[in-house]
Amino acid sequence: MYQKGRAWIELNMEHLKHNIGQFRSLLPADCALMPAVKANAYGHGAVLISKALQEEGIESFCVASAAEGAGLRRSGITGEILVLGYTHPEQFDDLIAYDLTQTVVDGNYARQLKRDGRRFTVHVGIDTGMHRLGERWDHLGEIAEIFRIPNLNVTGIYSHLCVSDGKDGKDRAYTIEQIHHFEYVVEELHRRGIGGFKCHLQGSYGILNYSELCFDYARAGIALYGILSGKNDKVDASVELKPVLALKARVESVKMLYQGESAGYGLAYCAEKNQKIGVLSIGYADGVPRSLSNRGQVLLKGKPAPVIGRICMDQMLVDLSGIEHAVPGDEAVLIGKSGDLEIRAEDMAGWADTISNEILSRMGERLERIAV
Ligand SMILES: *Cc1c(COP(=O)(O)O)cnc(C)c1O
């Protein structure tokens, strides 16, 4: 069914299981993983990944939108699915039809859900300092009010940390303040006789740098896929994470570029000597950042092949000097291992001046996803 056609993603499900094990041994026993499978599971393929997670006993998932949640339900995911983002009233039907848990993104949104009148299951977002989504932590009256809305079944509250990856004193202090704000909200709700809800706060870096925290769920994203956001990131927890995704493409043509000749759009690369070049059947429409033009490399037969010229929508060019016997049909590795060499998503992110989260979540629709 699945073919390694022009360009594809290979998913190492053993590595995924390994990473789940690492997180489970790090987290307190009564804290459950609630993996972030938004953005097509960070490009890995939401259905394949979520099914594998479900087989490993995971019963809660987070997605960005109601549409993502609906897609998972239609594919047979049975656990709790939390929509982290905004759902427009025109999509409220989906929340009900697919039994999704919606985030109350602020007090106003709670009133919108109330006006609709149907019974929604929700988690209340708390803004503890990121100032993105959530009702402000110090608006306790407003937060408590949400619990009293008759048609809302509030099963959880959560917040999000925005500098838990930071290692300096300032970021640590800010994170600790966020944690205190969240704990304050929980305690204050309990003091007012409101209980029976689950709490969650940590994403990957919150888990890896503040593993002593003990909430009901941990929303692991990027690190569950076996990588960190940045190449030089350091974390406190000593876990061994293994990358789940490899990105590969075919060599579709091999040719000579003679000294002084230029190649590709804008003639952005010029050959200083006669050289062999390869054309790969993958481009920016597949998620290879265009900023990798004349930057970075791929692997072929265990050797590096530098990117030359501009990345095209569906193709890219590489320098094959130093790689003998490359022929059309060969596999090029853009992320993953080839022989003794490895390119990690963090490496590609570094070349493209971004984080691996962006690289992965933008992996293209037309890449085949193959579990190996
Ligand atoms: C994306 C997201 C996560 C997961 O973050 P990672 O850093 O990838 O682990 C957790 N919580 C919220 C609210 C998110 O938006």
Side-chain angles (χ1 to χ4, degrees):
M1 183 162 74
Y2 294 110
Q3 286 161 357
K4 297 179 177 181
R6 57 178 286 280
W8 65 95
I9 283 170
E10 290 175 13
L11 299 171
N12 188 323
M13 294 306 192
E14 289 307 314
H15 285 186
L16 182 66
K17 283 181 205 169
H18 168 90
N19 298 338
I20 294 168
Q22 293 285 297
F23 273 104
R24 281 185 169 152
S25 54
L26 181 64
L27 289 166
D30 44 6
C31 177
L33 278 174
M34 184 193 242
V37 291
K38 59 193 182 182
N40 203 18
Y42 293 49
H44 291 60
V47 172
L48 276 170
I49 293 289
S50 302
K51 283 192 168 165
L53 292 169
Q54 187 159 277
E55 273 169 33
E56 292 303 301
I58 282 167
E59 294 172 337
S60 308
F61 303 85
C62 13
V63 294
S65 67
E68 288 182 350
L72 289 187
R73 274 285 182 259
R74 283 195 297 266
S75 315
I77 299 302
T78 54
E80 178 181 23
I81 300 178
L82 171 64
V83 179
L84 297 168
Y86 173 80
T87 300
H88 189 272
E90 288 201 0
Q91 295 173 303
F92 282 174
D93 286 350
D94 280 351
L95 296 179
I96 309 267
Y98 295 105
D99 187 20
L100 306 175
T101 303
Q102 172 60 40
T103 296
V104 177
V105 301
D106 58 23
N108 269 323
Y109 194 70
R111 286 185 285 279
Q112 180 136 46
L113 290 164
K114 179 183 177 182
R115 278 196 298 278
D116 183 274
R118 282 177 286 179
R119 186 169 173 80
F120 297 103
T121 298
V122 299
H123 283 199
V124 179
I126 310 292
D127 176 6
T128 53
M130 184 175 185
H131 307 310
R132 190 175 64 176
L133 293 184
E135 184 51 55
R136 279 186 74 101
W137 67 276
D138 51 356
H139 288 180
L140 260 178
E142 179 109 16
I143 294 167
E145 199 55 45
I146 297 170
F147 281 82
R148 295 196 195 95
I149 297 176
N151 62 315
L152 294 189
N153 174 30
V154 185
T155 57
I157 75 168
Y158 75 94
S159 187
H160 194 47
L161 302 171
C162 51
V163 282
S164 56
D165 56 330
K167 306 295 282 177
D168 66 17
K170 197 162 151 272
D171 289 344
R172 285 223 157 242
Y174 200 87
T175 302
I176 288 165
E177 199 170 271
Q178 281 196 278
I179 294 166
H180 287 161
H181 290 165
F182 187 65
E183 286 172 341
Y184 167 79
V185 172
V186 175
E187 283 162 22
E188 196 59 27
L189 287 172
H190 286 154
R191 207 180 56 75
R192 295 177 184 211
I194 300 166
F197 53 86
K198 305 280 191 190
C199 304
H200 46 111
L201 178 64
Q202 302 145 282
S204 294
Y205 285 86
I207 300 167
L208 295 170
N209 287 331
Y210 300 85
S211 57
E212 67 282 2
L213 295 177
C214 187
F215 293 109
D216 298 301
Y217 298 116
R219 302 184 307 266
I222 190 71
L224 199 62
Y225 303 103
I227 55 168
L228 295 175
S229 295
K231 194 173 167 57
N232 300 319
D233 286 0
K234 297 274 179 292
V235 294
D236 290 348
S238 59
V239 288
E240 184 202 19
L241 300 172
K242 298 182 175 180
V244 175
L245 175 144
L247 175 65
K248 301 184 179 180
R250 296 287 178 195
V251 174
E252 50 186 336
S253 181
V254 176
K255 60 184 62 177
M256 286 301 296
L257 190 65
Y258 295 100
Q259 186 178 19
E261 284 184 329
S262 295
Y265 285 124
L267 298 173
Y269 178 81
C270 182
E272 284 173 7
K273 55 176 178 18
N274 295 346
Q275 66 180 111
K276 200 167 54 173
I277 65 169
V279 187
L280 307 184
S281 53
I282 188 167
Y284 60 74
D286 301 294
V288 179
R290 189 168 173 276
S291 59
L292 252 53
S293 297
N294 277 326
R295 242 178 135 172
Q297 58 187 40
V298 309
L299 303 174
L300 235 129
K301 298 181 188 294
K303 298 210 171 96
V307 175
I308 61 172
R310 289 200 189 142
I311 308 280
C312 309
M313 186 182 288
D314 317 308
Q315 275 90 23
M316 57 188 281
L317 304 172
V318 294
D319 177 6
L320 295 181
S321 326
I323 301 175
E324 281 163 36
H325 313 304
V327 294
D330 280 349
E331 285 186 19
V333 176
L334 287 95
I335 297 174
K337 283 187 178 163
S338 176
D340 297 331
L341 298 182
E342 180 178 17
I343 296 174
R344 296 178 54 104
E346 294 99 323
D347 296 314
M348 187 186 273
W351 298 327
D353 258 325
T354 182
I355 55 173
S356 56
N357 312 46
E358 182 181 2
I359 296 289
L360 293 175
S361 64
R362 297 177 75 162
M363 288 287 131
E365 194 65 32
R366 66 187 176 193
L367 297 168
E368 214 49 93
R369 268 91 175 161
I370 305 163
V372 295

PDB file of all heavy atoms in Angstrom, residues 36 38 42 84 132 158 160 203-205 219-222 357, ligand 1:
ATOM      1  N   ALA A  36       0.757  15.708  22.496  1.00  0.00           N
ATOM      2  CA  ALA A  36       0.317  16.702  21.517  1.00  0.00           C
ATOM      3  C   ALA A  36       0.482  16.079  20.128  1.00  0.00           C
ATOM      4  O   ALA A  36       1.604  15.794  19.702  1.00  0.00           O
ATOM      5  CB  ALA A  36       1.144  17.976  21.648  1.00  0.00           C
ATOM      6  N   LYS A  38      -1.107  17.516  17.503  1.00  0.00           N
ATOM      7  CA  LYS A  38      -1.559  18.600  16.624  1.00  0.00           C
ATOM      8  C   LYS A  38      -0.643  18.700  15.402  1.00  0.00           C
ATOM      9  O   LYS A  38       0.468  18.132  15.394  1.00  0.00           O
ATOM     10  CB  LYS A  38      -1.539  19.919  17.401  1.00  0.00           C
ATOM     11  CG  LYS A  38      -0.163  20.283  17.953  1.00  0.00           C
ATOM     12  CD  LYS A  38      -0.251  21.408  18.963  1.00  0.00           C
ATOM     13  CE  LYS A  38       1.141  21.786  19.448  1.00  0.00           C
ATOM     14  NZ  LYS A  38       1.105  22.844  20.452  1.00  0.00           N
ATOM     15  N   TYR A  42       3.005  16.782  14.538  1.00  0.00           N
ATOM     16  CA  TYR A  42       4.263  17.442  14.195  1.00  0.00           C
ATOM     17  C   TYR A  42       4.803  16.875  12.881  1.00  0.00           C
ATOM     18  O   TYR A  42       5.999  16.570  12.753  1.00  0.00           O
ATOM     19  CB  TYR A  42       5.294  17.273  15.316  1.00  0.00           C
ATOM     20  CG  TYR A  42       4.956  17.996  16.623  1.00  0.00           C
ATOM     21  CD1 TYR A  42       3.707  17.866  17.207  1.00  0.00           C
ATOM     22  CD2 TYR A  42       5.894  18.796  17.263  1.00  0.00           C
ATOM     23  CE1 TYR A  42       3.391  18.509  18.392  1.00  0.00           C
ATOM     24  CE2 TYR A  42       5.591  19.449  18.459  1.00  0.00           C
ATOM     25  CZ  TYR A  42       4.341  19.297  19.015  1.00  0.00           C
ATOM     26  OH  TYR A  42       4.037  19.937  20.194  1.00  0.00           O
ATOM     27  N   LEU A  84      -6.929  22.347  21.866  1.00  0.00           N
ATOM     28  CA  LEU A  84      -6.186  23.397  22.582  1.00  0.00           C
ATOM     29  C   LEU A  84      -6.554  24.799  22.114  1.00  0.00           C
ATOM     30  O   LEU A  84      -6.370  25.770  22.836  1.00  0.00           O
ATOM     31  CB  LEU A  84      -4.679  23.201  22.381  1.00  0.00           C
ATOM     32  CG  LEU A  84      -4.047  21.920  22.921  1.00  0.00           C
ATOM     33  CD1 LEU A  84      -2.637  21.760  22.382  1.00  0.00           C
ATOM     34  CD2 LEU A  84      -4.054  21.914  24.441  1.00  0.00           C
ATOM     35  N   ARG A 132      -1.126  34.295  26.048  1.00  0.00           N
ATOM     36  CA  ARG A 132      -1.685  33.805  24.779  1.00  0.00           C
ATOM     37  C   ARG A 132      -3.127  33.420  25.100  1.00  0.00           C
ATOM     38  O   ARG A 132      -3.965  34.288  25.239  1.00  0.00           O
ATOM     39  CB  ARG A 132      -0.835  32.631  24.252  1.00  0.00           C
ATOM     40  CG  ARG A 132      -1.178  32.221  22.843  1.00  0.00           C
ATOM     41  CD  ARG A 132      -0.248  31.146  22.278  1.00  0.00           C
ATOM     42  NE  ARG A 132      -0.327  29.869  22.997  1.00  0.00           N
ATOM     43  CZ  ARG A 132       0.330  28.757  22.628  1.00  0.00           C
ATOM     44  NH1 ARG A 132       1.103  28.764  21.546  1.00  0.00           N
ATOM     45  NH2 ARG A 132       0.218  27.642  23.331  1.00  0.00           N
ATOM     46  N   TYR A 158      -5.979  23.971  32.771  1.00  0.00           N
ATOM     47  CA  TYR A 158      -4.560  23.847  32.418  1.00  0.00           C
ATOM     48  C   TYR A 158      -3.978  25.193  32.052  1.00  0.00           C
ATOM     49  O   TYR A 158      -4.695  26.162  31.791  1.00  0.00           O
ATOM     50  CB  TYR A 158      -4.368  22.846  31.274  1.00  0.00           C
ATOM     51  CG  TYR A 158      -4.766  23.309  29.889  1.00  0.00           C
ATOM     52  CD1 TYR A 158      -3.823  23.869  29.036  1.00  0.00           C
ATOM     53  CD2 TYR A 158      -6.064  23.171  29.425  1.00  0.00           C
ATOM     54  CE1 TYR A 158      -4.170  24.272  27.755  1.00  0.00           C
ATOM     55  CE2 TYR A 158      -6.418  23.570  28.144  1.00  0.00           C
ATOM     56  CZ  TYR A 158      -5.469  24.118  27.300  1.00  0.00           C
ATOM     57  OH  TYR A 158      -5.808  24.518  26.033  1.00  0.00           O
ATOM     58  N   HIS A 160      -0.013  26.965  30.272  1.00  0.00           N
ATOM     59  CA  HIS A 160       1.111  26.645  29.396  1.00  0.00           C
ATOM     60  C   HIS A 160       2.311  27.488  29.815  1.00  0.00           C
ATOM     61  O   HIS A 160       2.167  28.676  30.104  1.00  0.00           O
ATOM     62  CB  HIS A 160       0.711  26.948  27.947  1.00  0.00           C
ATOM     63  CG  HIS A 160       1.634  26.353  26.920  1.00  0.00           C
ATOM     64  ND1 HIS A 160       2.071  25.052  26.964  1.00  0.00           N
ATOM     65  CD2 HIS A 160       2.176  26.892  25.799  1.00  0.00           C
ATOM     66  CE1 HIS A 160       2.853  24.809  25.918  1.00  0.00           C
ATOM     67  NE2 HIS A 160       2.932  25.915  25.202  1.00  0.00           N
ATOM     68  N   GLY A 203       4.505  21.040  29.000  1.00  0.00           N
ATOM     69  CA  GLY A 203       4.809  20.482  27.694  1.00  0.00           C
ATOM     70  C   GLY A 203       6.158  19.784  27.810  1.00  0.00           C
ATOM     71  O   GLY A 203       6.626  19.508  28.938  1.00  0.00           O
ATOM     72  N   SER A 204       6.814  19.524  26.687  1.00  0.00           N
ATOM     73  CA  SER A 204       8.067  18.759  26.729  1.00  0.00           C
ATOM     74  C   SER A 204       9.094  19.355  27.687  1.00  0.00           C
ATOM     75  O   SER A 204       9.643  18.653  28.541  1.00  0.00           O
ATOM     76  CB  SER A 204       8.690  18.689  25.335  1.00  0.00           C
ATOM     77  OG  SER A 204       7.863  17.944  24.476  1.00  0.00           O
ATOM     78  N   TYR A 205       9.383  20.641  27.524  1.00  0.00           N
ATOM     79  CA  TYR A 205      10.434  21.242  28.352  1.00  0.00           C
ATOM     80  C   TYR A 205      10.001  21.378  29.808  1.00  0.00           C
ATOM     81  O   TYR A 205      10.838  21.311  30.714  1.00  0.00           O
ATOM     82  CB  TYR A 205      10.891  22.584  27.765  1.00  0.00           C
ATOM     83  CG  TYR A 205      11.773  22.394  26.541  1.00  0.00           C
ATOM     84  CD1 TYR A 205      11.217  22.238  25.276  1.00  0.00           C
ATOM     85  CD2 TYR A 205      13.154  22.320  26.666  1.00  0.00           C
ATOM     86  CE1 TYR A 205      12.013  22.038  24.154  1.00  0.00           C
ATOM     87  CE2 TYR A 205      13.968  22.121  25.563  1.00  0.00           C
ATOM     88  CZ  TYR A 205      13.389  21.984  24.306  1.00  0.00           C
ATOM     89  OH  TYR A 205      14.188  21.778  23.217  1.00  0.00           O
ATOM     90  N   ARG A 219       1.553  17.207  28.772  1.00  0.00           N
ATOM     91  CA  ARG A 219       1.260  17.323  27.337  1.00  0.00           C
ATOM     92  C   ARG A 219       2.545  17.282  26.507  1.00  0.00           C
ATOM     93  O   ARG A 219       2.971  18.290  25.952  1.00  0.00           O
ATOM     94  CB  ARG A 219       0.510  18.635  27.061  1.00  0.00           C
ATOM     95  CG  ARG A 219      -0.807  18.800  27.822  1.00  0.00           C
ATOM     96  CD  ARG A 219      -1.511  20.089  27.413  1.00  0.00           C
ATOM     97  NE  ARG A 219      -0.654  21.258  27.519  1.00  0.00           N
ATOM     98  CZ  ARG A 219      -0.594  22.050  28.585  1.00  0.00           C
ATOM     99  NH1 ARG A 219      -1.344  21.828  29.638  1.00  0.00           N
ATOM    100  NH2 ARG A 219       0.235  23.081  28.592  1.00  0.00           N
ATOM    101  N   ALA A 220       3.148  16.132  26.408  1.00  0.00           N
ATOM    102  CA  ALA A 220       4.421  16.018  25.685  1.00  0.00           C
ATOM    103  C   ALA A 220       4.201  16.132  24.177  1.00  0.00           C
ATOM    104  O   ALA A 220       3.340  15.472  23.616  1.00  0.00           O
ATOM    105  CB  ALA A 220       5.078  14.693  26.018  1.00  0.00           C
ATOM    106  N   GLY A 221       4.997  16.977  23.557  1.00  0.00           N
ATOM    107  CA  GLY A 221       4.958  17.112  22.099  1.00  0.00           C
ATOM    108  C   GLY A 221       6.296  16.756  21.502  1.00  0.00           C
ATOM    109  O   GLY A 221       6.669  15.579  21.438  1.00  0.00           O
ATOM    110  N   ILE A 222       7.062  17.775  21.185  1.00  0.00           N
ATOM    111  CA  ILE A 222       8.285  17.604  20.396  1.00  0.00           C
ATOM    112  C   ILE A 222       9.203  16.491  20.926  1.00  0.00           C
ATOM    113  O   ILE A 222       9.708  15.666  20.151  1.00  0.00           O
ATOM    114  CB  ILE A 222       9.043  18.960  20.269  1.00  0.00           C
ATOM    115  CG1 ILE A 222      10.169  18.875  19.260  1.00  0.00           C
ATOM    116  CG2 ILE A 222       9.552  19.479  21.617  1.00  0.00           C
ATOM    117  CD1 ILE A 222       9.728  18.771  17.835  1.00  0.00           C
ATOM    118  N   ASN A 357      10.551  22.091  15.707  1.00  0.00           N
ATOM    119  CA  ASN A 357       9.082  22.044  15.722  1.00  0.00           C
ATOM    120  C   ASN A 357       8.509  22.575  14.410  1.00  0.00           C
ATOM    121  O   ASN A 357       7.559  22.026  13.852  1.00  0.00           O
ATOM    122  CB  ASN A 357       8.511  22.911  16.855  1.00  0.00           C
ATOM    123  CG  ASN A 357       9.163  22.678  18.190  1.00  0.00           C
ATOM    124  OD1 ASN A 357      10.390  22.625  18.286  1.00  0.00           O
ATOM    125  ND2 ASN A 357       8.369  22.541  19.235  1.00  0.00           N
TER     126      ASN A 357
HETATM  127  C1  LIG B   1       1.984  22.441  21.391  1.00  0.00           C
HETATM  128  C2  LIG B   1       1.612  22.481  22.794  1.00  0.00           C
HETATM  129  C3  LIG B   1       2.142  21.557  23.700  1.00  0.00           C
HETATM  130  C4  LIG B   1       3.272  20.618  23.345  1.00  0.00           C
HETATM  131  O1  LIG B   1       4.460  21.362  23.334  1.00  0.00           O
HETATM  132  P1  LIG B   1       5.911  20.707  23.119  1.00  0.00           P
HETATM  133  O2  LIG B   1       6.855  21.792  23.485  1.00  0.00           O
HETATM  134  O3  LIG B   1       6.001  20.328  21.687  1.00  0.00           O
HETATM  135  O4  LIG B   1       5.991  19.539  24.014  1.00  0.00           O
HETATM  136  C5  LIG B   1       1.639  21.557  24.990  1.00  0.00           C
HETATM  137  N1  LIG B   1       0.686  22.430  25.363  1.00  0.00           N
HETATM  138  C6  LIG B   1       0.176  23.352  24.540  1.00  0.00           C
HETATM  139  C7  LIG B   1      -0.866  24.280  25.027  1.00  0.00           C
HETATM  140  C8  LIG B   1       0.628  23.425  23.227  1.00  0.00           C
HETATM  141  O5  LIG B   1       0.139  24.357  22.411  1.00  0.00           O
END
